[in-house]
Amino acid sequence: MRLYTKSGDKGKTSIIGGRRDKDHIRVEAYGTCDELNAFVAKASAALDKNVFPDIQPELIKIQHELFDCGSDLANIKKDREFKVKESMITFLEERIDEYIKEPPELERFILPGGSPEAADMHVCRTVVRRAERVTAALMKEEEINNEVFKYLNRLSDYFFAAARVVNYRLNVADVEYERSAVVFRSPKKKKQE
């Protein structure tokens, strides 16, 4: 197998079921998922498997699922069968619900960062938000698997929750945004007010 084919030298690329310009919004959408996948690989490689026996393998699972997202976004065949399913979204929601229980509750906005490992998670969070925005733009132009859009939306929340857990387990405080008002109130505090 050769790595170069020269078929893209005129600004077009092959997708499943046809060809598109390399700067087409569909190519941008699955390309951003590919970029995110590389950042997830970096985040996964930085985690100590002994401290993060849950998150580290989940990131590998997410890498496979991002490949599925890219595959679905690159597919324009009429008789296509999509790979991203609702069960993948449900899994992310379950993990988010577990992870938000672990660190202290937030009251204010936080800055991305803390530990280097959490900073990696925040990079993933922001890149997935971009993938989500590009996919939203694609949805306005062409039909896609809507489960991909939902998946990307939940994935950004997953990375936020995971970043907070990473800092908490490493005993590194989240850095509150200095000029943030109290914007999050726990249900317990709301009842007391």
Side-chain angles (χ1 to χ4, degrees), residues 1-7 9:
M1 174 184 152
R2 287 190 345 198
L3 287 180
Y4 60 92
T5 63
K6 301 183 183 182
S7 64
D9 288 353

Side-chain angles (χ1 to χ4, degrees), residues 88-158:
M88 297 157 82
I89 299 160
T90 302
F91 174 80
L92 289 176
E93 291 172 344
E94 290 168 355
R95 300 313 302 144
I96 293 164
D97 290 343
E98 284 304 308
Y99 288 147
I100 62 172
K101 295 174 188 174
E102 198 170 331
E105 288 184 1
L106 282 179
E107 290 189 345
R108 293 174 169 77
F109 287 119
I110 60 170
L111 300 179
S115 66
E117 295 88 344
D120 284 341
M121 295 292 178
H122 282 290
V123 169
C124 291
R125 176 184 59 79
T126 61
V127 176
V128 76
R129 282 291 188 208
R130 180 160 41 88
E132 183 184 10
R133 290 190 301 272
V134 173
T135 303
L138 174 61
M139 288 170 56
K140 293 177 184 175
E141 293 185 18
E142 298 184 13
E143 186 181 328
I144 68 161
N145 176 7
N146 197 49
E147 299 303 315
V148 171
F149 185 75
K150 292 179 193 175
Y151 179 85
L152 294 173
N153 183 272
R154 295 312 180 284
L155 188 57
S156 63
D157 295 331
Y158 170 90

Side-chain angles (χ1 to χ4, degrees), residues 25 56 65 74 86 93 100 104 186 190:
I25 192 74
Q56 202 274 335
E65 291 172 349
E86 186 179 351
E93 291 172 344
I100 62 172
S186 72
K190 284 181 183 177

Side-chain angles (χ1 to χ4, degrees), residues 53-105:
D54 45 0
I55 297 174
Q56 202 274 335
E58 287 171 8
L59 295 182
I60 304 298
K61 178 182 187 328
I62 286 166
Q63 284 192 272
H64 288 280
E65 291 172 349
L66 284 170
F67 232 92
D68 292 338
C69 288
S71 178
D72 283 1
L73 290 170
N75 193 337
I76 60 169
K77 291 171 92 176
K78 295 289 182 209
D79 60 342
R80 58 193 165 189
E81 202 170 302
F82 291 124
K83 296 179 179 179
V84 178
K85 309 286 185 205
E86 186 179 351
S87 60
M88 297 157 82
I89 299 160
T90 302
F91 174 80
L92 289 176
E93 291 172 344
E94 290 168 355
R95 300 313 302 144
I96 293 164
D97 290 343
E98 284 304 308
Y99 288 147
I100 62 172
K101 295 174 188 174
E102 198 170 331
E105 288 184 1

Side-chain angles (χ1 to χ4, degrees), residues 23-38:
D23 62 352
H24 189 277
I25 192 74
R26 184 175 289 276
V27 178
E28 183 68 26
Y30 72 73
T32 306
C33 287
D34 187 37
E35 178 185 355
L36 172 61
N37 210 330

